Amino acid sequence: MRELMIRFIDDGEVFNEIDETRNYYLSEAESIVEKIKVRLTNEKRVSSPKGFECWVDGKQLIISSVRFENGQSLEEQLKQTILEHKEWEEDLKNKYINKINEYASKERELMVHREFKAFVIRFDQYMGNPKNDPFPLLLRLERLKDLFDGIFVNISSGFYSELEVIMGSIKESFQIIVKQTYDELSEQDHEEYEGSWSDFLRVRVITWLGNDENFNRFKNYLIAHYESVPKSRIRAIYPRYEPFQEMQDYLFSTFAKTQSFDEAYRLSNELIQSFYEKYDDILFGGFAIKNDDMVKSLIFSPVVKNFFEVIEKRKEETLPKDSNIDKGMVDDEEELESAEEINV
């Protein structure tokens, strides 16, 4: 969760420089306020104060406002508001001011790196927007720096030209985490949680990402995804993959004769789904799938081979114990021989 952010309130005068949907970094918000001050001075006019919320450690700390005619910076005006808060003890005031000082110092230090600053700002615009589906993703600076460092060393062309591609990889990687968490929660009893399903899902995803080992898996997936062919390539390739075609022939001829067409159809869909799951498993391990040949060798080949063995085992388990039906007694022996010679 973000340590420190500024949210301007959607009320009062509208400023072109301010986007009320953003979760601004303090240094970023200060820069915007200074630009507005300069513009108002040049236009020789004054403006009413602009309200803003200060969030610390994921919680709304205080609501304040910035006065553009005031010579103090936004940070200084924020601290002044805290010091003048009548309901807080001095120890509590000092605690929050120290936190703001600490977080602001860390933020300015990291954002000296121009590319990193562009990365975190675009990340917030892309992932922190309240309309982000299924919910916004707000990460603290150390986490963002970890992601940035992992991606930055793998950029072969210009960083800024790749920034939108990077954001696309982040969004898709995040959606994989959300889907996996959703699938796991769907198997649980709905009485195990209170409140809305979406809030419960959000809490579980954020909790999952808060674990260092889990976050490293997310980072691995993101970096590998950035370097990999898109998952949509699977759909484009597998229908033309010969072992897959042979598996389909086997399912809907030999296998269907001893089982059923519905079971063969179900298994065919399960096989295709296994391709996508294998893709995710490889990326979570931090290994990139860079071309179609790697899709075939790392995904299709092992999955089809394993699937044939699974199907044979399932078929044997479902046959009656006193049945005389076995591989040697299938009606069409030529089809069986063809099935057993599948080249995977």
Side-chain angles (χ1 to χ4, degrees):
M1 185 61 67
R2 282 267 293 274
E3 303 100 321
L4 175 63
M5 59 188 182
I6 303 296
R7 289 177 175 170
F8 287 100
I9 298 173
D10 187 9
D11 190 22
E13 185 171 347
V14 175
F15 296 92
N16 293 332
E17 294 90 344
I18 294 176
D19 178 359
E20 284 85 359
T21 67
R22 281 289 315 284
N23 309 295
Y24 286 104
Y25 291 93
L26 180 60
S27 58
E28 184 188 7
E30 281 191 327
S31 176
I32 290 172
V33 168
E34 292 306 313
K35 290 179 181 178
I36 294 175
K37 285 182 177 182
V38 171
R39 180 168 63 80
L40 292 176
T41 299
N42 292 337
E43 294 174 358
K44 297 181 180 180
R45 69 183 184 91
V46 295
S47 171
S48 57
K50 183 66 175 178
F52 67 89
E53 302 168 348
C54 175
W55 290 66
V56 174
D57 295 332
K59 297 180 181 179
Q60 186 186 94
L61 173 64
I62 196 168
I63 297 177
S64 184
S65 59
V66 57
R67 297 181 178 276
F68 298 105
E69 75 280 3
N70 192 318
Q72 292 180 313
S73 67
L74 182 147
E75 181 179 350
E76 291 170 336
Q77 293 187 50
L78 168 62
K79 292 176 183 177
Q80 189 65 35
T81 302
I82 293 175
L83 290 173
E84 295 173 356
H85 201 296
K86 296 179 180 180
E87 298 179 5
W88 288 355
E89 298 292 336
E90 290 300 316
D91 289 347
L92 188 60
K93 294 177 182 179
N94 291 331
K95 172 187 173 181
Y96 285 129
I97 287 179
N98 289 336
K99 274 184 173 288
I100 290 172
N101 287 336
E102 176 189 349
Y103 292 153
S105 176
K106 182 196 307 179
E107 177 185 310
R108 291 189 176 98
E109 179 182 353
L110 290 172
M111 287 196 179
V112 168
H113 193 301
R114 186 174 60 180
E115 286 82 0
F116 177 67
K117 182 177 181 179
F119 173 81
V120 297
I121 290 175
R122 188 62 183 128
F123 181 93
D124 179 74
Q125 293 170 333
Y126 206 87
M127 300 298 296
N129 191 297
K131 295 181 180 180
N132 185 61
D133 185 33
F135 47 81
L137 176 61
L138 303 172
L139 298 176
R140 64 180 189 264
L141 277 174
E142 288 91 344
R143 293 297 201 196
L144 289 172
K145 186 63 165 60
D146 201 9
L147 295 181
F148 172 81
D149 289 343
I151 294 173
F152 193 69
V153 296
N154 292 292
I155 295 177
S156 56
S157 55
F159 169 77
Y160 294 99
S161 64
E162 289 290 300
L163 189 54
E164 293 307 302
V165 177
I166 294 170
M167 291 300 132
S169 291
I170 290 174
K171 189 173 185 66
E172 291 191 35
S173 302
F174 176 61
Q175 288 174 338
I176 290 295
I177 301 300
V178 173
K179 181 182 183 304
Q180 290 189 353
T181 305
Y182 178 88
D183 291 342
E184 291 174 2
L185 293 178
S186 297
E187 298 175 358
Q188 299 179 5
D189 189 338
H190 286 196
E191 295 181 358
E192 292 185 9
Y193 67 91
E194 298 179 357
S196 71
W197 170 259
S198 59
D199 286 344
F200 185 60
L201 176 63
R202 179 182 60 81
V203 170
R204 288 297 293 267
V205 170
I206 298 304
T207 301
W208 188 92
L209 286 169
N211 178 277
D212 289 342
E213 183 178 347
N214 290 340
F215 186 81
N216 284 333
R217 293 189 73 228
F218 171 66
K219 181 180 71 172
N220 287 343
Y221 192 101
L222 166 60
I223 296 171
H225 185 281
Y226 170 69
E227 296 185 276
S228 296
V229 297
K231 190 185 287 188
S232 58
R233 284 300 298 162
I234 293 175
R235 177 65 184 88
I237 302 172
Y238 77 73
R240 302 192 303 273
Y241 183 61
E242 186 174 345
F244 172 80
Q245 296 173 347
E246 293 173 346
M247 173 61 76
Q248 295 295 95
D249 290 340
Y250 172 60
L251 281 175
F252 293 104
S253 57
T254 305
F255 182 84
K257 287 181 179 180
T258 58
Q259 302 298 306
S260 69
F261 179 85
D262 288 343
E263 179 67 3
Y265 181 74
R266 186 188 69 79
L267 288 172
S268 176
N269 289 334
E270 187 176 318
L271 170 61
I272 295 170
Q273 181 60 32
S274 295
F275 291 153
Y276 296 104
E277 292 172 356
K278 184 67 172 178
Y279 177 96
D280 290 338
D281 289 343
I282 292 172
L283 266 60
F284 274 123
F287 195 87
I289 303 172
K290 299 185 178 182
N291 52 53
D292 290 357
D293 287 339
M294 293 181 73
V295 172
K296 295 175 183 177
S297 63
L298 298 179
I299 298 177
F300 294 167
S301 178
V303 168
V304 172
K305 180 178 181 180
N306 180 69
F307 213 75
F308 180 76
E309 295 172 354
V310 170
I311 288 174
E312 285 298 283
K313 183 177 180 181
R314 289 185 185 181
K315 184 176 71 172
E316 292 172 1
E317 291 174 349
T318 57
L319 289 176
K321 292 183 179 180
D322 58 349
S323 173
N324 291 324
I325 299 176
D326 56 29
K327 288 185 179 181
M329 299 185 67
V330 176
D331 292 341
D332 192 338
E333 294 183 0
E334 292 183 358
E335 288 183 350
L336 177 61
E337 291 174 1
S338 174
E340 292 180 335
E341 292 174 359
I342 290 178
N343 178 19
V344 293

